[in-house]
Amino acid sequence: MFSQEDKTAKQYFKNGEFEKAKITYQKLLKNRPNNIIYIKAYTETLQQLEQYTEVDSLLNKALTDIKYPAFLVNLGYNFQLQNNLVKANENYEKAIESIDINTSYVNSVAKEFQDYSLLDLAIRAYEKAISLDKDLDFTIQLSKIYGEQGNIEKMFVSYVDFIEKNPLYRNDLKRIFNDFLTEDPYNENNIILKKALLRKIQQNPDLIWNELLSWLFIQQKEFNKSFAQEKAIYNRLPESLNRMEELASIATTQEDYNTATKVYNYIIETSQDIDTKLNAHYNLLQFQSLLALEKDYKSIQSDYLKLFETYGTQTQTLKLQIAYSHFLAFYLHQTPEAELFLKKSLNLKLKKQEIAEIKLELADILVLQEKFNEALIYYTQIQRSLKNSVISQEARFRVAKTSYYKGDFKWAESQLNILKQSTSQLIANDALDLKLLISDNKYEDSTQTALKLYAKADLLAYQNKPKEAIIVLDTILKNHSTEPIAEQTLYKQAKLFEAQKEYGNAENNYQLLIANHKDGLLIDDAYFSMAELYKNKLNLPEKAKPLYEHIIFNFSDSIYFVEARTQFRMLRGDSLNQ
């Protein structure tokens, strides 16, 4: 019953119905006169009604009945609301003096000061308690107040001191630090934290400071500087290269391939574990292949062959074998050799999962050659072999994609409908995107000409023939410009232009999308992609900034909203906690 009345009173207060809240809190206090929560809530309600005399009586009675000196802060604030600062300060001083009687009072007293934004008084309360009992530690509370005051340097120094005594809390404090930092290494807050950490390294060369500096450099996307810190950590504590692997992965994701290459080479040179070495080789070759020009392909092939010569074609190198087959087929266009190489891998002593991984790549190579029916056999075998697994769901998605390439949109849709409920969010999202593409465009004309052309362009892009794909997409834009698929076509073509470094053409497509498809499903994608193009590829941050801002004010439910806000604030030079 009390719980329900409590909820009712809170709702009245929230709705601004203070008279009703007052009556409800009176009932609650009649049954529980010493309930501190109800007394405080009733106080706030009366203050909203400007019934300050009643508050005075209520709090003075509560101070007599209950040993709770924090009520002195509430009483003082009640006088402050009446502009009686003399009486307000008298009660604030009494609240601080109560800590002399019992240092445990500081928790409630300081919190009340904070709630009223009386931050200097809250600091005095904590400092007084510490002076009375040296074992008390309110570093976290004080650091938070310094941050609220805008004293960022004092806040960072205080938190860093706390980490020195309590290193297990460093990950919690990283989350707090993140609210005050930006990606910009020249941002004032970033510089303050870096200096605080460098001072600690000089005073006490503990590895935790190198770790935090490495983390800070990662936030600033200065991965090379992070690498220097990680080397310092590993040289003093050569236990694991996991941190190095994580750094290389982040650098790769952020497209700092130069640093990623250095880190992976360091892992290869340093590690004594063969699996760790092979994994580094694999990741290195993955992005090297992606970035390579055709003239570099033979060199990459040679790197693969040297690895097989050193480590053999056994189960330990299976991941590399699958990657090499992919490289042979998709880059060197040596599909018979790729198939043969993979089929030899099937002769190894393998687990079901490993067999499925080989068959998945084999089927992909068959799709590359447009041998769709043969590919579908392999995909189906994977589904039957490992039912309900992620790789089985991936195989089902590729069945749908293959059917889509063939122009069998009905069967593709039936598979995609199942996959919308996939346990893998990535597969579910991909399935939904393809489902919408088909369902939104299949009824536009009875021959489905535009959709078939789009599927053909999609296949050409899959076959690593971007120029041919761009030409097919041009045909759609020329002959089907008034159909819904034109929006999707402009966006896909823009992405292909970007991959080909034809940034002017990509920019033109995004501008056409924004101009002609204001109410389209891809409008926020277009704004965000063009902003990223200006910022990351064309180095025109001033052109990117209004685009990010447009997303913030017009697409609050967009998946790009959070990132757009972060990038906008960073370009404007804000601290991210503002």
Side-chain angles (χ1 to χ4, degrees), residues 89 94 105 156 170 191 195 227 237-238 241 273 281 324 368 384 434 439 445 459 468 478 484 501 508 520 531:
N89 287 326
K94 284 180 186 177
Y105 290 154
F156 277 143
R170 60 184 176 275
I191 292 168
K195 285 180 177 177
F227 180 38
L237 195 67
L241 286 159
D273 178 63
H281 277 298
Y324 177 58
L368 178 70
R384 289 173 180 167
L434 186 55
S439 59
D445 70 83
L459 177 61
E468 292 91 332
K478 184 180 176 182
K501 297 185 168 55
N508 183 57

Side-chain angles (χ1 to χ4, degrees), residues 93-114:
E93 291 301 325
K94 284 180 186 177
I96 291 173
E97 286 167 13
S98 73
I99 298 166
D100 287 317
I101 301 166
N102 188 337
T103 54
S104 68
Y105 290 154
V106 71
N107 296 298
S108 54
V109 167
K111 187 180 181 306
E112 289 301 320
F113 281 135
Q114 278 180 268

Side-chain angles (χ1 to χ4, degrees), residues 477-490:
L477 293 172
K478 184 180 176 182
N479 299 326
H480 305 273
S481 59
T482 59
E483 295 176 26
I485 204 165
E487 179 190 10
Q488 190 81 34
T489 304
L490 279 167

Side-chain angles (χ1 to χ4, degrees), residues 131-147:
S131 70
L132 293 167
D133 186 349
K134 300 297 181 188
D135 292 331
L136 292 174
D137 187 350
F138 295 110
T139 311
I140 289 289
Q141 292 89 333
L142 285 166
S143 301
K144 187 170 184 286
I145 294 171
Y146 299 145

Side-chain angles (χ1 to χ4, degrees), residues 3 78 96 102 194 198 309 353 362 385 401 417 517 534 546 554:
S3 173
N78 194 56
I96 291 173
N102 188 337
K194 185 172 78 171
L198 288 170
E309 194 177 317
Q353 175 74 21
L362 269 171
S385 172
K401 202 80 187 274
N417 281 327
H517 300 275
Y534 285 140
N554 296 283

Side-chain angles (χ1 to χ4, degrees), residues 48-61:
Q48 289 291 335
L49 294 166
E50 298 184 7
Q51 296 174 359
Y52 303 120
T53 306
E54 283 190 48
V55 172
D56 187 62
S57 300
L58 171 72
L59 291 174
N60 276 305
K61 183 177 186 305

Side-chain angles (χ1 to χ4, degrees), residues 15-200:
N15 295 341
E17 300 177 80
F18 301 118
E19 285 289 356
K20 290 181 179 178
K22 176 183 174 180
I23 293 165
T24 311
Y25 279 124
Q26 282 174 337
K27 289 179 185 175
L28 286 164
L29 280 168
K30 188 175 180 181
N31 290 289
R32 294 188 177 181
N34 294 335
N35 187 298
I36 291 167
I37 294 170
Y38 294 159
I39 291 169
K40 285 171 65 177
Y42 188 37
T43 295
E44 287 176 31
T45 305
L46 292 171
Q47 286 169 340
Q48 289 291 335
L49 294 166
E50 298 184 7
Q51 296 174 359
Y52 303 120
T53 306
E54 283 190 48
V55 172
D56 187 62
S57 300
L58 171 72
L59 291 174
N60 276 305
K61 183 177 186 305
L63 282 163
T64 304
D65 296 343
I66 313 165
K67 286 184 180 179
Y68 192 70
F71 284 143
L72 288 163
V73 180
N74 304 125
L75 190 58
Y77 188 70
N78 194 56
F79 283 114
Q80 188 171 322
L81 289 173
Q82 301 170 72
N83 294 316
N84 188 342
L85 297 183
V86 174
K87 280 280 190 182
N89 287 326
E90 277 180 19
N91 282 283
Y92 293 152
E93 291 301 325
K94 284 180 186 177
I96 291 173
E97 286 167 13
S98 73
I99 298 166
D100 287 317
I101 301 166
N102 188 337
T103 54
S104 68
Y105 290 154
V106 71
N107 296 298
S108 54
V109 167
K111 187 180 181 306
E112 289 301 320
F113 281 135
Q114 278 180 268
D115 287 348
Y116 292 132
S117 296
L118 301 167
L119 302 179
D120 288 336
L121 290 169
I123 291 171
R124 277 185 57 200
Y126 283 125
E127 288 177 344
K128 185 176 187 68
I130 293 166
S131 70
L132 293 167
D133 186 349
K134 300 297 181 188
D135 292 331
L136 292 174
D137 187 350
F138 295 110
T139 311
I140 289 289
Q141 292 89 333
L142 285 166
S143 301
K144 187 170 184 286
I145 294 171
Y146 299 145
E148 289 174 17
Q149 287 180 320
N151 193 338
I152 305 302
E153 184 170 5
K154 200 168 184 181
M155 178 197 74
F156 277 143
V157 168
S158 183
Y159 275 134
V160 167
D161 286 340
F162 180 79
I163 290 173
E164 189 168 24
K165 297 173 189 172
N166 306 276
L168 292 176
Y169 286 90
R170 60 184 176 275
N171 288 330
D172 297 301
L173 293 187
K174 282 178 192 175
R175 286 189 283 274
I176 294 172
F177 290 165
N178 243 334
D179 290 339
F180 295 87
L181 301 172
T182 74
E183 289 179 7
D184 180 9
Y186 300 104
N187 175 272
E188 187 181 354
N189 291 357
N190 293 50
I191 292 168
I192 290 168
L193 178 57
K194 185 172 78 171
K195 285 180 177 177
L197 295 172
L198 288 170
R199 275 197 299 270
K200 282 295 181 186

